[in-house]
Amino acid sequence: MVDHLANTEINSQRIAAVENCFGASGQPLALPGRVLLGEGILTKECRKKPKPRIFFLFNDILVYGSIIINKRKYNSQHIIPLEDVTLETLPDTLQMKNRWMIKTSKKSFVVSAASLTERKEWISHLEECIKHLLTKTGRQPCREPAAPWIPDKATDICMRCTQTKFSTLTRRHHCRKCGFVVCADCSRQRFLMPRLSPKPLRVCNLCYRQLLAEKKKEAEADRRQAEPIRAATQGYEPSSGDDSDKSDDEKAEQWPADTEFYTSEVSWSSFHS
């Protein structure tokens, strides 16, 4: 179906319609070979509460955004490369049914469909596109997805110290490493995780200690790997070449006039000749 729709007028019109709905706030979506395969509204478990979001499945990316006017205006566009996506089916809860998790290296989140059939169709099409892309590019599936944020209402107390109660004055925070809801005292540290952000991110105290230990272990491994190289080069001094400040005349005086540098009878020629 992808090959059949690629570069067709109807596919171009569908993609243009999606771009128009996002307006200037969205990024251009039309690319050679890109095909819009389907769309639908899914409920996304957000930090505060579940919210409806519009999702568009292309053969290489998944796009979603907030609904202002359905079929007419969307904003807060997010684009996820399908090569970075893995899926996990989740059990139902009292609040949400037909759930599954969309996991990527930068962000993971839970969505739910209106019916079990709709969930099966979404997962089936996503898995087919992901498999095709990975086969085409030769890449491996994402092995270290980001932890999903646990919703604020999932707990009334800090999930680390289990002592601090959240209130209007006591804010909830999220650890960017484990996704737990934690208090300020349990998440005062910041740590640089380039996979998630170019800036240091808030992490809980436990994850901070674990990340420091991992960093120390990696540094130790790098040091041990470099030791054989240092040992092999130990005792060697860099050649001074012609960097000496002495003049050519001073250099010439250091050698006896009758010294024969080339005793072989084989003729040789200068590289500059």
Side-chain angles (χ1 to χ4, degrees):
M1 183 177 66
V2 172
D3 294 336
H4 176 71
L5 290 173
N7 304 318
T8 62
E9 183 64 25
I10 185 65
N11 180 63
S12 299
Q13 291 175 358
R14 289 172 179 172
I15 295 178
V18 175
E19 291 179 334
N20 290 335
C21 287
F22 279 104
S25 64
Q27 298 183 36
L29 299 173
L31 282 179
R34 176 170 288 170
V35 176
L36 176 60
L37 298 175
E39 66 178 86
I41 297 176
L42 299 172
T43 301
K44 180 176 177 289
E45 291 188 8
C46 301
R47 176 178 179 176
K48 298 293 184 182
K49 63 179 182 180
K51 297 178 181 179
R53 294 287 186 261
I54 184 68
F55 282 79
F56 298 95
L57 175 60
F58 295 80
N59 60 326
D60 61 338
I61 57 175
L62 181 67
V63 178
Y64 72 93
S66 301
I67 302 171
I68 306 301
I69 303 174
N70 193 26
K71 301 289 186 180
R72 293 181 61 186
K73 187 174 182 180
Y74 309 124
N75 65 6
S76 302
Q77 184 192 73
H78 297 266
I79 300 176
I80 304 174
L82 290 182
E83 297 175 17
D84 194 36
V85 172
T86 55
L87 307 174
E88 180 184 351
T89 303
L90 300 175
D92 293 344
T93 65
L94 293 176
Q95 293 78 22
M96 298 182 67
K97 300 183 183 298
N98 311 310
R99 304 163 65 235
W100 77 95
M101 187 183 300
I102 297 174
K103 299 187 289 186
T104 77
S105 59
K106 294 184 177 295
K107 184 179 182 179
S108 301
F109 54 92
V110 177
V111 293
S112 65
S115 66
L116 182 61
T117 300
E118 186 178 336
R119 182 180 74 171
K120 288 181 178 179
E121 289 180 353
W122 268 106
I123 292 178
S124 174
H125 284 91
L126 278 165
E127 289 179 339
E128 185 177 351
C129 290
I130 294 168
K131 181 181 178 181
H132 178 75
L133 267 179
L134 293 178
T135 301
K136 182 179 179 180
T137 61
R139 289 186 55 182
Q140 295 297 317
C142 176
R143 299 185 183 278
E144 197 175 348
W149 283 20
I150 295 176
D152 286 1
K153 292 186 178 180
T155 179
D156 292 327
I157 61 173
C158 173
M159 299 178 71
R160 284 303 181 202
C161 68
T162 67
Q163 300 295 322
T164 302
K165 289 188 176 183
F166 298 119
S167 64
T168 305
L169 299 178
T170 306
R171 286 187 57 202
R172 290 172 169 84
H173 299 280
H174 279 82
C175 171
R176 270 56 170 183
K177 180 69 170 63
C178 66
F180 276 24
V181 183
V182 290
C183 65
D185 288 339
C186 289
S187 60
R188 294 191 181 280
Q189 305 293 345
R190 301 289 190 278
F191 198 89
L192 181 62
M193 294 180 282
R195 182 170 52 87
L196 301 181
S197 172
K199 298 180 180 179
L201 301 174
R202 179 189 293 269
V203 293
C204 68
N205 297 340
L206 177 61
C207 286
Y208 182 72
R209 291 193 294 269
Q210 292 175 344
L211 288 166
L212 277 182
E214 291 174 4
K215 185 177 181 181
K216 184 177 179 181
K217 187 176 180 180
E218 291 174 359
E220 181 66 18
D222 291 341
R223 185 185 66 80
R224 290 179 179 177
Q225 189 175 6
E227 279 181 355
I229 300 176
R230 285 199 296 266
T233 57
Q234 190 173 6
Y236 287 89
E237 294 294 336
S239 173
S240 61
D242 293 328
D243 293 336
S244 172
D245 291 333
K246 294 181 179 180
S247 67
D248 290 343
D249 293 339
E250 289 176 315
K251 293 178 183 178
E253 291 175 358
Q254 296 177 2
W255 300 96
D258 57 349
T259 300
E260 295 184 11
F261 292 98
Y262 299 93
T263 58
S264 172
E265 297 179 358
V266 179
S267 62
W268 63 283
S269 59
S270 168
F271 289 129
H272 298 287
S273 62

